[in-house]
């Protein structure tokens, strides 16, 4: 609730706390170590990630992604600990992503977390991936009580905090925005390196023509699958030129892949900014925080910035280190929970593909 | 009405608030006439200009069309006073009263006036909202019934509101309204038809209700019993159509991503 300041239930730490965070809910494996110091400050000691990149035109399959995580986990964790300059014995807890995400990759990471926990006798903390994004975003940007737009390959939600819970005000009714962009990247054979969304963004900068696409906001929710279908349909339009080159000087009325990327981004982002604005107006907040992989799209940040300034507010966003899935955010959210006395016993250290943001008891906030 | 008159009107108007969609003004068409509420969909600079123009135009026209249809079908909505779709302006009847959100527990004090609340730092909430409702001479239970009835009438006219929240419903203040019903000295008015459309589909009506349910639970904590009484009144209003909508509403509730599939 904006305007009212209550005391945080989180006590100032009597000693420094250290946590290792392990993330692997999608095609990135990440590990990070965070420290909460006695003066209340937070420092990122290390934050390393390895991404499973598939050839153009292909998505990542759960089985192969899990294999990638198992292959890379120990290397990344070792590197992460070395870079942080701490020993594994000094850690207070091992935090891992409990969900939501893809089943097989989640399981791989959960197993690794359990092994480390048993080997070194450290408590486990299962973390909700979305809450991890929000907590890291708040920590990095210093936003106090923002409306959060969480946009990634698997999630699209407008979230606001109320009564120890991150409530979902609006969300996608079908596919996530990152999924929509990635799938379109596959249709027009864009590279998956560093990420399909990044390549769409670069391609869109060259686009000029705004093609009519459906605009589907429903209250504070959005629907994206129809837009993907309509954009795909343009690729079989007779005006479409896959190489973006005119067939002659007379050939003016053409549609290029860049135009499609541009139109897709403009339409989809306008919808996202609109539902965020509606949530801001609804709860009377002036701060927006963008988190999740799509959050590093600069056009989305720019549009959100214009909207926020028109409302006399401001936008907070982070760069790719913290926007894209990473281990440190899991460490941050996990350590907050740990300091409130929340741990996950070994027998309950499961993972789940479905784990809604609003199911988490946010004990560390007033 | 032509644009120049709208520009002049805007200059003389008093700004009231800025919603998500539009800036809202209180204005006078002529000096004698009662005031009107002017809803001005200003240009959204974050949107591509082409997209912005077409969205604004279709939303103003759509809103006016929906209001007219509601008025004809006897749904309580504000009357239309002027439309200028190209300029993005819609003038409607000025309603003296308060939004339902302010009258329910949890809704007050979390809005634009948040800064003022901080300085007072008093526990707002239930006590205050109940007092506010007394002023309108009805109980929370009656208010929920009025909401259900009004939405029912609207859906019977095949209008889908598209953004049902407690902020988008108002109660007319008893001093500015003469009621036919002695028991209820006020009237519930549905406002903001900016996202509305025409549909006969059970699906759309169920989604409309679902949007309201979510708005209730996110704005007014512990509001499940309240929403249940809204649905009861709605069911009575719809009669035999309710059965299909009810079943679809249960289906819609299971949608959305990452829901736990228990049971």
């Amino acid at each position: 609730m904006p305007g009212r300041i209550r005391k945080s239930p989180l006590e100032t730490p009597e000693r420094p706390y250290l946590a290792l965070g392990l993330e692997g809910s999608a095609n990135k494996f990440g590990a990070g170590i965070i420290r909460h110091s006695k003066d209340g400050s937070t420092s990122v000691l290390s934050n390393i990630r390895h991404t499973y990149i598939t050839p153009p035109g292909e998505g990542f399959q759960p089985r192969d992604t899990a294999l990638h995580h198992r292959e890379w986990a120990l290397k990344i964790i070792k590197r992460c600990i070395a870079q942080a300059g701490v020993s594994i014995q000094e850690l207070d807890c091992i935090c891992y992503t409990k969900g939501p995400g893809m089943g097989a990759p989640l399981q791989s990471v959960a197993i690794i977390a359990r092994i480390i926990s048993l080997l070194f006798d450290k408590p486990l903390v299962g973390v909700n991936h979305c809450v991890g994004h929000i907590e890291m975003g708040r920590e990095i940007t210093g936003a106090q009580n923002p409306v959060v737009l969480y946009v990634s390959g698997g999630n699209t939600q407008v979230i606001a905090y109320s009564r120890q819970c991150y409530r979902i005000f609006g969300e996608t009714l079908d596919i996530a925005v990152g999924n929509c962009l990635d799938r379109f990247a596959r249709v027009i054979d864009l590279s998956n390196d560093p990420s399909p969304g990044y390549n769409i963004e670069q391609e869109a900068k060259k686009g000029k023509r705004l093609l009519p696409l459906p605009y589907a906001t429903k209250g504070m929710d959005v629907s994206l699958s129809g837009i993907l279908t309509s954009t795909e349909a343009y690729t079989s339009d007779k005006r479409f030129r896959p190489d973006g080159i005119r067939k002659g000087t007379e050939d003016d009325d053409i549609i290029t892949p860049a135009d499609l990327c541009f139109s897709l981004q403009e339409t989809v982002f306008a919808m996202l900014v609109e539902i965020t604005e509606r949530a801001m107006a609804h709860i009377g907040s002036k701060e927006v925080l963008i988190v999740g992989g799509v959050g590093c799209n600069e056009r989305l940040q720019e549009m959100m910035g214009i909207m926020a300034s028109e409302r006399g507010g401001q936008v907070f966003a982070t760069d790719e280190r913290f926007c894209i899935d990473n281990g440190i955010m899991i460490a941050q959210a996990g350590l907050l929970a740990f300091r409130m006395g929340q741990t996950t016993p070994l027998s309950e250290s499961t993972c789940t593909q479905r784990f809604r943001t609003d199911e988490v008891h946010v004990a560390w906030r007033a | 009405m032509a644009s120049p008159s709208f520009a002049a009107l805007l200059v003389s108007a008093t700004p009231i608030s800025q919603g998500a969609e539009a800036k809202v003004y209180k204005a006078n068409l002529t000096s004698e006439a009662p005031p009107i509420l002017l809803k001005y969909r200003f240009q959204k600079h974050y949107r591509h200009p082409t997209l912005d123009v077409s969205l604004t135009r279709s939303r103003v026209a759509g809103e006016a069309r929906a209001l007219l249809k509601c008025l004809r079908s006897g749904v309580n909505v504000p009357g239309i006073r002027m439309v200028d779709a190209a300029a993005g302006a819609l003038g409607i009847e000025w309603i003296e009263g308060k939004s339902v959100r302010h009258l329910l527990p949890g809704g007050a004090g979390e809005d634009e006036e948040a800064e003022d609340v901080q300085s007072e730092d008093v526990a707002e909430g239930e006590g205050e909202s109940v007092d506010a409702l007394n002023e309108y001479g009805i109980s929370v239970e009656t208010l929920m019934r009025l909401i259900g009835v009004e939405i029912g009438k609207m859906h019977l006219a095949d209008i889908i509101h598209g953004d049902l929240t407690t902020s988008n419903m108002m109660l007319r203040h008893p001093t500015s309204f003469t009621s036919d019903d002695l028991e209820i000295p006020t009237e519930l008015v549905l406002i903001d038809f900016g996202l509305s459309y025409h549909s006969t589909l059970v699906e759309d009506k169920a989604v409309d209700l679902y949007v309201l349910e979510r708005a209730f639970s996110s704005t007014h904590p512990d509001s499940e019993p309240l929403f249940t009484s809204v649905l009861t009144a709605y069911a009575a209003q719809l009669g035999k159509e309710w059965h299909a909508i009810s079943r679809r509403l249960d289906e819609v509730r299971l949608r959305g991503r990452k829901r736990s599939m228990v049971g």
Side-chain angles (χ1 to χ4, degrees):
Chain A
M1 281 169 229
R4 266 173 280 182
I5 296 163
R6 290 199 207 85
K7 196 185 170 302
S8 165
L10 197 66
E11 305 277 339
T12 326
E14 72 288 359
R15 63 180 175 86
Y17 279 85
L18 281 172
L20 168 71
L22 301 176
E23 150 66 27
S25 60
N27 67 336
K28 289 117 195 148
F29 179 83
I33 293 181
I34 204 155
R35 181 174 60 206
H36 286 184
S37 305
K38 277 204 285 191
D39 59 0
S41 68
T42 299
S43 31
V44 175
L45 301 184
S46 60
N47 181 23
I48 301 177
R49 165 175 61 217
H50 194 274
T51 308
Y52 171 52
I53 293 171
T54 50
E58 283 180 31
F60 48 92
Q61 301 294 336
R63 183 176 167 276
D64 303 330
T65 312
L67 199 65
H68 164 269
H69 289 358
R70 290 201 293 272
E71 226 166 76
W72 280 90
L74 295 184
K75 288 175 224 167
I76 301 282
I77 294 170
K78 268 186 196 156
R79 214 185 290 166
C80 176
I81 289 169
Q83 202 186 77
V86 296
S87 82
I88 212 161
Q89 276 78 14
E90 289 174 70
L91 297 174
D92 287 285
C93 58
I94 311 294
C95 315
Y96 74 99
T97 311
K98 190 177 172 70
M102 293 171 95
L106 280 174
Q107 281 167 14
S108 302
V109 175
I111 288 170
I112 294 156
R114 276 181 225 133
I115 293 172
I116 301 178
S117 156
L118 285 174
L119 268 179
F120 298 93
D121 194 24
K122 299 289 177 193
L124 278 172
V125 184
V127 174
N128 179 300
H129 184 85
C130 316
V131 172
H133 270 296
I134 299 170
E135 289 307 336
M136 203 60 213
R138 284 180 59 227
E139 176 57 41
I140 295 290
T141 61
Q144 283 307 307
N145 189 17
V147 168
V148 183
L149 176 68
Y150 172 29
V151 276
S152 69
N155 294 280
T156 301
Q157 300 177 335
V158 180
I159 304 158
Y161 173 83
S162 151
R163 292 182 165 204
Q164 301 210 312
C165 173
Y166 285 113
R167 285 174 207 278
I168 301 171
F169 275 72
E171 65 188 315
T172 175
L173 298 172
D174 34 55
I175 59 173
V177 60
N179 191 237
C180 176
L181 296 175
D182 292 357
R183 278 162 67 178
F184 184 66
R186 250 176 267 161
V187 170
I188 55 170
D189 265 331
L190 286 181
S191 162
N192 287 330
D193 187 17
S195 69
Y198 176 81
N199 292 319
I200 290 244
E201 184 181 355
Q202 304 316 312
E203 197 65 17
K205 286 179 184 163
K206 293 179 262 168
K208 287 179 189 70
R209 183 171 181 179
L210 186 81
L211 294 149
L213 289 172
Y215 189 92
T217 57
K218 301 184 178 188
M220 283 191 231
D221 295 333
V222 292
S223 163
L224 297 163
S225 60
I227 298 175
L228 176 62
T229 313
S230 306
T231 319
E232 279 186 44
Y234 276 113
T235 60
S236 32
D237 192 297
K238 63 179 189 303
R239 293 168 295 172
F240 181 67
R241 305 282 176 272
D243 46 10
I245 301 166
R246 296 188 210 176
K247 278 183 180 162
T249 45
E250 301 289 282
D251 194 20
D252 282 333
D253 186 23
I254 62 163
I255 299 169
T256 65
D259 290 338
L260 290 180
C261 291
F262 173 70
S263 308
L264 181 63
Q265 271 200 30
E266 287 298 316
T267 310
V268 166
F269 292 169
M271 285 162 50
L272 293 176
V273 175
E274 184 180 324
I275 60 168
T276 312
E277 180 168 26
R278 193 162 290 130
M280 285 171 78
H282 191 69
I283 64 168
S285 170
K286 289 204 187 301
E287 292 181 335
V288 203
L289 171 65
I290 314 179
V291 298
V294 183
C296 37
N297 187 302
E298 284 171 1
R299 176 61 185 147
L300 177 61
Q301 293 183 4
E302 180 192 21
M303 286 166 82
M304 197 63 86
I306 298 170
M307 181 276 283
S309 69
E310 278 174 353
R311 303 190 61 81
Q314 59 175 327
V315 62
F316 297 90
T318 55
D319 60 39
E320 56 85 27
R321 285 173 300 164
F322 305 107
C323 251
I324 298 176
D325 292 351
N326 58 76
I328 201 76
M329 67 184 205
I330 302 300
Q332 166 71 1
L335 191 52
L336 288 171
F338 179 75
R339 283 172 57 193
M340 293 308 297
Q342 299 177 0
T343 55
T344 310
L346 187 69
S347 57
E348 290 166 29
S349 64
T350 52
C351 52
T352 166
Q353 284 166 280
R354 299 169 188 276
F355 188 5
R356 280 175 72 81
T357 317
D358 47 14
E359 286 170 29
V360 179
H361 175 222
V362 186
W364 54 89
R365 285 190 69 179
Chain B
M1 244 168 253
S3 289
S5 76
F6 163 67
L9 194 63
L10 196 59
V11 171
S12 65
T14 339
I16 305 291
S17 70
Q18 176 172 350
E21 281 283 298
K23 286 179 180 160
V24 176
Y25 300 85
K26 190 176 188 175
N28 287 291
L29 280 175
T30 60
S31 48
E32 306 91 65
I36 65 162
L37 182 133
L38 194 62
K39 197 170 164 185
Y40 171 44
R41 288 167 201 265
F42 56 98
Q43 197 192 339
K44 292 285 166 85
H45 293 281
Y46 67 81
R47 272 200 294 246
H48 190 282
T50 316
L51 184 61
D52 191 59
V53 166
S54 73
L55 278 177
T56 303
R57 191 190 296 262
S58 70
R59 284 182 179 174
V60 172
E63 181 166 4
R65 214 173 288 135
L67 283 174
L68 244 151
K69 187 138 198 276
C70 282
L71 287 167
R72 285 205 201 104
S73 315
V75 186
N76 296 338
V77 296
I80 303 177
R81 299 293 177 259
M82 63 158 279
V83 184
D84 188 340
L90 180 70
I92 53 173
E93 175 195 357
W94 177 266
I95 292 166
E96 206 59 61
K98 254 191 170 156
S99 85
V100 170
R101 181 171 145 221
H102 286 249
L103 299 168
L104 284 179
E110 282 178 48
D111 53 4
E112 297 77 25
E113 286 97 53
E115 285 89 348
D116 307 354
V117 178
Q118 188 180 20
S119 53
E120 291 164 25
D121 205 34
V122 282
E124 280 218 34
E126 313 223 356
E128 189 143 318
S129 345
V130 171
D131 289 348
L133 259 188
N134 282 340
E135 204 182 315
Y136 288 81
I138 56 167
S139 63
V140 174
E141 194 56 35
T142 315
L143 175 58
M144 293 306 119
R145 201 184 75 225
L146 291 178
I147 295 174
V149 168
E150 225 48 52
I151 298 174
K153 282 200 275 181
M154 180 181 75
H155 280 180
L156 283 175
D158 293 331
I159 297 286
I160 310 300
H161 187 281
D163 189 18
L164 281 176
T165 64
T166 46
S167 315
N168 286 341
M169 302 165 184
M170 285 182 77
L171 276 185
R172 285 188 195 266
H173 199 275
T175 52
S176 67
F177 177 67
T178 353
S179 169
D180 313 327
D181 187 345
L182 287 177
E183 299 284 305
I184 305 165
T186 177
E187 184 180 71
L188 185 102
V189 186
L190 298 175
I191 57 168
D192 197 354
F193 282 71
L195 287 175
S196 64
Y197 56 98
H198 176 266
S199 168
T200 54
L201 297 179
V202 168
E203 161 76 16
D204 293 325
K205 293 175 185 176
V207 170
D208 219 20
L209 289 177
Y210 178 61
V211 168
L212 179 64
E213 182 175 47
R214 288 265 300 275
F216 256 90
S217 62
S218 53
T219 329
H220 311 287
D222 314 317
S223 61
E224 285 87 7
L226 294 183
F227 191 72
T228 310
S229 23
V230 171
L231 282 189
T232 313
Y234 177 86
Q237 189 70 29
L238 259 87
K240 63 182 192 316
E241 280 187 47
W242 163 245
H243 186 61
I245 297 178
S246 161
R247 224 177 13 201
R248 187 59 71 100
L249 179 61
D250 290 336
E251 275 177 44
V252 173
R253 284 191 182 116
L254 293 175
R255 288 185 204 156
R257 292 172 64 85
K258 308 289 187 303
R259 291 214 188 280
S260 49
M261 290 285 182
V262 186

